[in-house]
């Protein structure tokens, strides 16, 4: 993709998601992701019903009248986007692939972070760490992340999120909100890494999927291709056993993912390419805010 086309696509993504960020996510995001603690702001006169534990005894003694310390939430957060860029994310219907869905989700999360004056960074993961973008503030930094995500050509087609999660734990020392965005197809490639990362950081898993992964389309005898392994297999899609095997494999993967998230106590959402991500993200944010 040439520079002009790339910049045009980034601008399109920004315009499409900017309105959603301002109108919907500012309040939800702020409520769902709390700051690191409380910082002293000022003192004021004591009012009946105030917590006496917040009395500022030095100021009270100086003016011979009770004064209360006022604190504000320390808002600045580190937001890290751990993005699965393996070949399986190019799968999807003509209207939208999983990668395109992920791109919009990344844009909304990044611009929400900017609107709340938080830092945002990214790690691109295949079966290795492909790229690390340190967290910084500002719209220009978000646009740079989007440009890289659109134009980056992975060195590997495979997936091993554990490698990216390990790198994240080693590089990012400050407690962060980590959005792991992936199709989470390979259970063994993510379960241990998520558990360990969630002990130090606040991990949120966003699982992307496509309707074609849930049910095999009946198109006759066709060659199925595993984008990550490069293997082909001929399948009669009219066969009941083939249909059932395909469906059960999807159900098994979904149950494994849900069970892994439950055991690790990780907030998560599943978002399909044939639905709008707004509802899933808002529901997730509202659950966290309770």
């Amino acid at each position: 993709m040439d520079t002009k086309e790339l910049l045009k696509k980034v601008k399109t993504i920004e315009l499409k998601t900017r309105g959603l960020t301002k109108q919907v996510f500012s309040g939800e995001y702020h409520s769902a992701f709390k700051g690191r603690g409380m910082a002293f702001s000022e003192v004021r006169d004591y009012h009946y019903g105030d917590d006496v534990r917040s009395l500022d005894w030095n100021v009270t003694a100086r003016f011979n009248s009770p004064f209360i310390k006022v604190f504000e939430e320390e808002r600045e957060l580190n937001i890290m986007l751990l993005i699965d860029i393996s070949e399986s994310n190019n799968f999807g219907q003509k209207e939208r692939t999983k990668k395109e869905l992920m791109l919009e989700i990344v844009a909304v999360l990044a611009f929400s972070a900017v609107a709340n004056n938080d830092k945002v960074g990214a790690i691109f993961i295949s079966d290795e760490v492909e790229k690390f973008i340190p967290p910084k503030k500002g719209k220009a930094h978000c646009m740079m992340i989007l440009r890289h995500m659109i134009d980056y050509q992975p060195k590997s087609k495979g997936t091993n999120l554990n490698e990216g999660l390990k790198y994240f734990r080693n590089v990012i020392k400050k407690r962060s909100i980590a959005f792991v965005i992936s199709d989470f197809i390979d259970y063994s490639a993510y379960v241990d890494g998520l558990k360990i990362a969630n002990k130090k950081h606040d991990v949120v898993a966003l699982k992307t999927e496509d309707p074609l992964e849930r049910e095999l389309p009946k198109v006759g005898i066709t060659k199925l291709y595993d984008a990550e392994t490069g293997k082909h297999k001929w399948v009669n899609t009219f066969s009941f056993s083939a249909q059932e095997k395909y469906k059960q494999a999807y159900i098994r993967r979904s149950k494994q993912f849900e069970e892994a998230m439950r055991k690790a106590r990780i907030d998560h959402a599943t978002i399909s390419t044939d639905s709008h991500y707004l509802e899933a993200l808002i529901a997730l944010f509202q659950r966290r805010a309770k």
Side-chain angles (χ1 to χ4, degrees):
M1 188 181 297
D2 62 39
T3 304
K4 186 176 180 181
E5 186 181 353
L6 174 61
L7 292 174
K8 182 179 178 181
K9 187 164 185 177
V10 171
K11 192 64 179 176
T12 300
I13 291 294
E14 186 213 353
L15 292 173
K16 184 174 183 178
T17 59
R18 184 171 59 188
L20 300 177
T21 302
K22 288 182 178 179
Q23 295 173 23
V24 181
F25 285 102
S26 292
E28 302 288 354
Y29 171 96
H30 186 96
S31 300
F33 302 103
K34 304 296 183 182
R36 292 174 295 164
M38 304 301 289
F40 174 74
S41 175
E42 61 181 353
V43 294
R44 63 165 172 78
D45 292 329
Y46 173 84
H47 298 146
Y48 177 77
D50 284 338
D51 189 343
V52 295
R53 290 173 296 181
S54 296
L55 280 169
D56 188 321
W57 294 106
N58 290 331
V59 178
T60 296
R62 191 181 310 152
F63 291 95
N64 199 29
S65 179
F67 281 83
I68 287 286
K69 293 179 181 179
V70 178
F71 295 86
E72 290 183 349
E73 179 187 357
E74 287 185 292
R75 214 7 270 181
E76 183 182 296
L77 299 172
N78 245 17
I79 305 297
M80 286 300 300
L81 306 171
L82 279 63
I83 307 165
D84 179 356
I85 59 168
S86 62
E87 189 68 20
S88 64
N89 291 293
N90 289 319
F91 183 81
Q93 301 179 84
K94 292 182 179 179
E95 292 79 10
R96 178 197 268 169
T97 64
K98 288 187 288 185
K99 180 179 178 180
E100 290 168 332
L101 172 63
M102 290 167 68
L103 179 62
E104 291 189 30
I105 293 171
V106 165
V108 166
L109 294 174
F111 288 126
S112 293
V114 168
N116 282 273
N117 201 35
D118 295 332
K119 293 180 180 180
V120 60
I123 301 175
F124 295 175
I125 310 164
S126 57
D127 56 8
E128 60 182 283
V129 173
E130 299 253 359
K131 189 171 190 63
F132 170 58
I133 302 174
K136 291 182 181 179
K137 293 182 180 181
K139 175 184 170 182
H141 185 65
C142 289
M143 298 290 274
M144 184 266 286
I145 291 174
L146 295 179
R147 285 199 302 272
H148 280 297
M149 190 173 173
I150 291 170
D151 206 39
Y152 188 82
Q153 297 300 315
K155 301 170 188 173
S156 176
K157 295 182 178 182
T159 308
N160 190 344
L161 289 176
N162 284 331
E163 287 298 314
L165 287 159
K166 180 180 178 181
Y167 182 87
F168 163 64
R169 298 194 309 268
N170 291 335
V171 171
I172 304 297
K173 301 302 181 183
K174 176 183 174 183
R175 179 173 170 80
S176 303
I177 311 292
F179 289 96
V180 184
I181 309 167
S182 170
D183 52 18
F184 292 97
I185 287 179
D186 188 351
Y187 178 81
S188 64
Y190 66 80
V191 63
D192 291 335
L194 288 176
K195 284 181 183 178
I196 299 170
N198 199 45
K199 291 179 180 178
K200 178 181 178 182
H201 301 279
D202 186 354
V203 177
V204 180
L206 299 178
K207 179 176 179 283
T208 57
E209 65 177 29
D210 186 85
L212 293 176
E213 294 172 326
R214 300 194 287 266
E215 187 173 340
L216 190 63
K218 296 180 179 180
V219 292
I221 298 175
T222 188
K223 184 189 289 185
L224 297 184
Y225 173 64
D226 187 324
E228 295 189 7
T229 65
K231 294 181 179 179
H232 292 84
K233 183 178 181 180
W234 287 99
V235 174
N236 180 3
T237 59
F238 288 120
S239 165
F240 174 79
S241 62
Q243 287 279 340
E244 190 63 18
K245 186 177 180 181
Y246 191 88
K247 182 179 179 180
Q248 290 303 317
Y250 166 77
I251 293 173
R252 182 178 66 254
R253 290 195 304 269
S254 298
K255 286 182 177 179
Q256 285 179 334
F257 173 75
E258 291 292 334
E259 183 68 9
M261 298 304 105
R262 184 187 66 79
K263 286 183 177 179
R265 297 183 178 181
I266 291 174
D267 290 323
H268 62 282
T270 297
I271 307 172
S272 179
T273 57
D274 65 344
S275 64
H276 206 294
Y277 50 84
L278 269 182
E279 292 182 6
L281 289 179
I282 290 174
L284 172 64
F285 287 5
Q286 288 176 342
R287 287 198 303 272
R288 288 182 58 94
K290 289 181 180 178

